Each structure stands twice: as C-alpha cells, then as structure tokens.
Amino acid sequence: NAGVTQTPKFQVLKTGQSMTLQCAQDMNHNSMYWYRQDPGMGLRLIYYSASEGTTDKGEVPNGYNVSRLNKREFSLRLESAAPSQTSVYFCASRIYPAGTYEQYFGPGTRLTVT
Amino acid sequence: AQKVTQAQTEISVVEKEDVTLDCVYETRDTTYYLFWYKQPPSGELVFLIRRNSFDEQNEISGRYSWNFQKSTSSFNFTITASQVVDSAVYFCALSEAVETSGSRLTFGEGTQLTVNP
C-alpha cells in the first residue's frame, strides 16, 4: 500500500496563477483532510471531507476550493494564488465512521508563490 | 473551541539525555483523543501514539513514554536516552470524538527537538 500520496512535491507559482494539488489514498478511508503548515503555527485545517460527497470548511478556507472526486481522491485548488499561500500543504485521511481517529498524512507539497 | 499548547518551541539536548516534551490542551468535550506526531527533517508526519480521554494509563514503547493527566489537561512525551535520530519537530494534537463532524485534528505549534552527538 502506498498510503496517502500527493502530487506535486514542489511547485512555484506566480501571483494570480491557479493550480490544483492532488491527493489520493489507498487505505479505503472515508474521511480526507487538507492542512497547511506555516513556520511556528503548526498545521491548520483548510477543508475536509468526512465522507464521499461531502466537504466542509476548516479553520483557514479562504482562497481555496476542494473537490472530493471519489472515495480515494481529494483535490485542493488555488484559483488565484497569493504570496500568503506560500506554505507546505499536507493531505491526510482516516477511517470513518468508527476507527480510532488518528489521521495518516501524505508527504506534503511545498508551494511557493512569488 | 479546542486548543493545544506546546510551550517549548525548541529544545536542545546531548545524546543519551532524557527529554520531556510538554503538551497542554483545552476542550469542552468529555470524550476526545490526544495524539503525538513526529516530523523528521525529511518533512513527513509520522503518527506515534493515540490516547483517549477515558484511558489515563501511561504508556511506554521502547525509549518513548507518554504521561496523560486529565486533572492538569496535559499529555507529555518523554524520550529516554535520546539519540541523534530523535531530532525532529514533534506535534501534539487533539481530536473531538464526534463521528458526525469529521473529527478534525487541532495541532499545537510543535517543539523542535535537536539531539547533539
């Protein structure tokens, strides 16, 4: 099992450009999450999908959109990138319902917006 | 609202020293889960341990041990006889145990542990 995979690993964008970060998991998990990690701020939740067909805003959703394409895949889109979106983005998944609540993370995407 | 505080931003120790990473949390929930994750220099997040709010037994796994004290809302992590490979950022996290809400994780800001040879 590959676990949680993310593409791309690195990306540089110019202000105003758009892009989609891809995430897929092969653990048959129902819930999927997108976080951003900024220095000194831990990880903050952007959006999540408790189950296929549902998405909800997290703590810092502004400037992002998500799509739960199917049970395996959960993408994050930046429509018009801004320098404030320079960050490391992590996708995660967990079993839902039931399970024990820990989330498993992908390797991250390092995004720089100039 | 939930909150996790890791007051130690950086800790530096010499190999073989014991080190404790502090974690204090706030929640109104009676049922919740606490976690520790490790982020080595390579950047991935590695799940270390989960503890639910009804289980206050301490846990030991090799050189790692965790002390959960509900009375002080703390979930501290001790590494015994630290090694250079323990150098990483360690995150404490809290999750509500409500299945209908997606059970989001609230992270602390992380503690950078450096173990020097």
Side-chain angles (χ1 to χ4, degrees):
Chain A
N1 285 357
V4 181
T5 57
Q6 292 182 235
T7 55
K9 285 189 167 54
F10 301 93
Q11 184 72 49
V12 178
L13 291 178
K14 294 185 177 176
T15 298
Q17 287 185 319
S18 62
M19 81 161 295
T20 299
L21 281 63
Q22 306 287 355
C23 173
Q25 52 88 14
D26 62 2
M27 296 178 284
N28 203 34
H29 288 173
N30 282 314
S31 294
M32 298 184 74
Y33 307 80
W34 276 105
Y35 294 87
R36 59 177 288 173
Q37 182 180 17
D38 301 296
M41 300 188 75
L43 279 80
R44 293 180 293 168
L45 182 67
I46 305 171
Y47 270 94
Y48 68 100
S49 172
S51 60
E52 189 179 354
T54 69
T55 60
D56 284 286
K57 295 178 181 179
E59 183 184 353
V60 288
N62 291 345
Y64 305 95
N65 283 301
V66 291
S67 295
R68 184 72 183 266
L69 305 170
N70 49 54
K71 187 173 182 178
R72 291 186 62 248
E73 298 172 287
F74 188 38
S75 63
L76 178 72
R77 182 159 179 84
L78 287 70
E79 291 291 351
S80 179
S84 60
Q85 295 178 305
T86 294
S87 189
V88 182
Y89 291 85
F90 287 97
C91 177
S93 70
R94 66 166 279 250
I95 296 172
Y96 166 75
T100 48
Y101 298 88
E102 65 264 26
Q103 295 179 16
Y104 295 91
F105 286 80
T109 295
R110 187 173 294 273
L111 175 67
T112 302
V113 183
T114 61
Chain B
Q2 299 184 320
K3 184 177 180 182
V4 175
T5 301
Q6 295 179 253
Q8 305 150 309
T9 305
E10 296 181 22
I11 300 175
S12 182
V13 299
V14 177
E15 208 168 17
K16 297 184 184 175
E17 283 185 23
D18 298 347
V19 58
T20 295
L21 310 182
D22 297 332
C23 173
V24 174
Y25 63 92
E26 296 174 29
T27 180
R28 294 181 194 160
D29 297 328
T30 55
T31 305
Y32 51 89
Y33 282 82
L34 293 160
F35 306 85
W36 277 95
Y37 284 83
K38 174 182 180 180
Q39 186 175 43
S42 51
E44 73 272 24
L45 281 153
V46 179
F47 165 68
L48 294 178
I49 190 172
R50 169 194 68 251
R51 174 64 71 219
N52 77 50
S53 52
F54 295 111
D55 182 1
E56 289 194 67
Q57 282 191 341
N58 292 332
E59 182 156 341
I60 297 174
S61 176
R63 296 184 297 107
Y64 294 173
S65 62
W66 291 270
N67 180 272
F68 175 33
Q69 291 197 341
K70 214 166 174 178
S71 60
T72 56
S73 297
S74 65
F75 185 43
N76 296 337
F77 174 26
T78 296
I79 302 174
T80 303
S82 60
Q83 299 176 1
V84 173
V85 293
D86 296 327
S87 296
V89 180
Y90 290 87
F91 290 98
C92 180
L94 169 67
S95 172
E96 55 197 348
V98 179
E99 283 294 0
T100 56
S101 68
S103 297
R104 299 169 282 181
L105 284 176
T106 298
F107 283 84
E109 295 175 357
T111 297
Q112 170 71 61
L113 173 65
T114 302
V115 182
N116 298 299

